[in-house]
Amino acid sequence: MQRDQEFNKNDHAMRSNIAKRFSYTKRRDRLVGQLAKKNDKYREKYLESNSPKAQQRIKKKAVKSISKYVKKINKYDTKSRRCLDLTRQGKAKAEQMINDAEKRGEILRFDPYTGEYYFASKADKRLNQYNYPKYIDKQNKMIEKNTSSNS
């Protein structure tokens, strides 16, 4: 029971980190788009201006505004990378727990009624179709999807 609870807690944390990473990456990408628009806006104003003082003022505003965006982009990028690292650590921990269970003669199974995973002996026939290979394939797909589309 304790191993089952630990595994499910780890699995929940992995899923949570994948969702957070997706959210942070989405925010970062949105800010990059906004930054490009701001940059274009300030560039147009700068080129339209005839006065050197006005150009200097526009340049100063642009640097200040753009630096704020860059700080936010870096913050979300850092958070996104941290979530990816935590997801990979969680995946490694899950694989280790599964390998240890296999040495004991157990396999990972999924209970669709509770939505949780549990370790059972290989002789246990109930819910035989819900087992480790499907779990690990599902986790790999989730990680690959989020890393390839957002890297």
Side-chain angles (χ1 to χ4, degrees):
M1 280 295 269
Q2 188 176 10
R3 283 178 301 174
D4 297 346
Q5 289 173 349
E6 185 180 343
F7 187 87
N8 284 310
K9 184 178 176 183
N10 185 51
D11 180 60
H12 176 71
M14 270 195 321
R15 291 173 190 271
S16 175
N17 282 321
I18 289 170
K20 284 179 188 176
R21 180 168 195 271
F22 181 71
S23 172
Y24 292 142
T25 305
K26 204 171 171 183
R27 288 179 191 175
R28 182 198 63 198
D29 292 346
R30 188 176 17 207
L31 285 170
V32 168
Q34 290 174 358
L35 175 64
K37 287 179 184 177
K38 281 269 189 198
N39 194 22
D40 291 343
K41 180 181 122 182
Y42 283 117
R43 183 181 296 125
E44 285 178 21
K45 280 186 177 182
Y46 183 82
L47 293 174
E48 290 174 358
S49 177
N50 297 328
S51 163
K53 282 186 176 182
Q55 287 180 337
Q56 197 66 17
R57 194 173 351 100
I58 292 168
K59 188 176 176 182
K60 194 174 182 180
K61 275 185 176 180
V63 168
K64 187 176 180 180
S65 176
I66 289 171
S67 67
K68 284 181 184 178
Y69 274 93
V70 170
K71 283 180 185 176
K72 285 182 183 179
I73 289 168
N74 288 338
K75 178 179 87 172
Y76 287 125
D77 192 49
T78 303
K79 286 183 175 185
S80 173
R81 290 176 195 274
R82 177 71 179 139
C83 287
L84 178 63
D85 291 342
L86 290 173
T87 302
R88 287 182 177 155
Q89 289 172 7
K91 182 178 175 235
K93 186 176 180 181
E95 287 175 343
Q96 182 62 43
M97 289 179 75
I98 290 167
N99 290 337
D100 291 345
E102 285 179 350
K103 288 177 186 173
R104 290 188 305 272
E106 298 176 336
I107 57 174
L108 180 68
R109 297 234 169 100
F110 179 73
D111 184 359
Y113 300 107
T114 62
E116 293 185 344
Y117 293 92
Y118 65 97
F119 291 100
S121 70
K122 290 182 179 180
D124 187 4
K125 298 293 184 195
R126 58 190 172 122
L127 304 173
N128 200 20
Q129 69 271 25
Y130 305 105
N131 58 16
Y132 164 69
K134 287 185 181 181
Y135 169 82
I136 213 64
D137 289 342
K138 185 174 161 185
Q139 294 303 324
N140 285 337
K141 285 178 186 174
M142 286 173 57
I143 291 169
E144 287 174 15
K145 177 183 169 189
N146 285 299
T147 56
S148 64
S149 66
N150 299 321
S151 292

